[in-house]
Amino acid sequence: MFLKRKKKYSDIEIVQEIRRGNSDGVLRFLYTSVQPKLTHWIMRNSGSEDEAQDIFQDAVLSFYEYVLEGKFEEGKSVDGFIFSIGRNKWINRAKQLNKNVSSTEFEESFVADEVDAFSDANSSDKSEKIESLLKKLGERCKELLTKSIFYNMKMVDIASTMGFSTADAAKTKNYKCKKRLMKMIKDDDQIKGWLFND
């Protein structure tokens, strides 16, 4: 019996195939394109291969639900979306199990969500550059973006934990912080080199 060659799908095709109910090929594709990256990240952060497998399956199921319920925004990176869900699930599980997850990994990963080309940022140069950008934002912006992007917290909860008067005030500040971060990234020649030459 010949093994079928795994088809490559664009983000739009993945969403379309899931909506049509043709998910077998898409699932095989996601196992080859997303699972290795998520497994690597989880194993670097106190997880086992079996735990990474469970988290990946949970993340894919969550992604499917988003698509079928019409909540997934077209134009978003499917890989990045699933990776982000899986990472957040592992952080929550790791906390319950009192396992350690590196704060440096937190910071690198949340920036990676915003700039897909940083998803493999593992060299010391890149790590130092990302850390430098986060420090330039200031502690308040750094905390706010980490909560909104990395932990996917609701603005009403962020407002409560960070002392904003309303959820709208937190949302406005979040927008300004994110805009500053993206401007710093765009204005940095070294980062632009990584984005377009890697």
Side-chain angles (χ1 to χ4, degrees):
M1 180 178 177
F2 292 100
L3 290 173
K4 288 184 179 178
R5 187 175 179 180
K6 293 181 178 66
K7 179 183 175 181
K8 288 186 178 181
Y9 293 86
S10 69
D11 289 342
I12 292 174
E13 287 173 336
I14 289 172
V15 172
Q16 289 174 340
E17 289 298 295
I18 291 172
R19 286 175 179 162
R20 289 173 187 150
N22 303 328
S23 59
D24 288 349
V26 167
L27 187 58
R28 283 195 296 270
F29 174 70
L30 293 175
Y31 264 93
T32 60
S33 64
V34 186
Q35 189 188 19
K37 289 184 281 189
L38 183 58
T39 296
H40 177 69
W41 189 87
I42 289 173
M43 291 180 72
R44 283 179 62 185
N45 285 278
S46 306
S48 68
E49 192 167 352
D50 286 343
E51 287 170 325
Q53 172 82 0
D54 288 342
I55 291 290
F56 173 74
Q57 289 174 351
D58 288 348
V60 168
L61 284 174
S62 295
F63 167 64
Y64 271 52
E65 286 175 11
Y66 267 82
V67 171
L68 294 174
E69 291 173 8
K71 294 179 181 178
F72 182 75
E73 296 176 28
E74 289 191 14
K76 276 193 172 185
S77 164
V78 171
D79 280 21
F81 188 79
I82 295 173
F83 183 90
S84 180
I85 291 174
R87 192 190 55 225
N88 290 339
K89 284 179 180 292
W90 174 244
I91 289 165
N92 291 332
R93 187 177 296 184
K95 283 181 181 176
Q96 293 170 358
L97 298 172
N98 292 319
K99 292 191 175 188
N100 181 54
V101 181
S102 156
S103 62
T104 302
E105 289 285 343
F106 280 3
E107 293 165 356
E108 288 185 13
S109 297
F110 108 72
V111 172
D113 278 352
E114 293 303 289
V115 185
D116 286 341
F118 278 1
S119 61
D120 62 348
N122 51 20
S123 74
S124 59
D125 285 346
K126 290 184 180 181
S127 298
E128 287 171 13
K129 176 61 71 173
I130 292 168
E131 178 66 23
S132 173
L133 287 178
L134 290 167
K135 283 181 179 177
K136 285 179 184 177
L137 280 175
E139 284 302 317
R140 193 156 176 80
C141 270
K142 179 177 171 181
E143 181 183 357
L144 177 55
L145 290 178
T146 302
K147 288 179 185 297
S148 66
I149 298 172
F150 187 68
Y151 292 108
N152 202 25
M153 284 177 64
K154 294 178 180 178
M155 284 300 157
V156 65
D157 296 327
I158 291 174
S160 174
T161 59
M162 292 188 67
F164 288 99
S165 56
T166 64
D168 283 342
K171 188 175 181 179
T172 299
K173 181 67 172 176
N174 182 67
Y175 172 77
K176 289 178 179 177
C177 290
K178 187 186 276 190
K179 194 172 180 181
R180 279 180 55 207
L181 175 61
M182 300 321 331
K183 186 178 187 306
M184 284 194 292
I185 289 171
K186 288 175 184 175
D187 289 346
D188 192 296
D189 289 336
Q190 187 176 22
I191 293 178
K192 283 194 288 190
W194 290 337
L195 290 174
F196 298 111
N197 297 327
D198 278 7

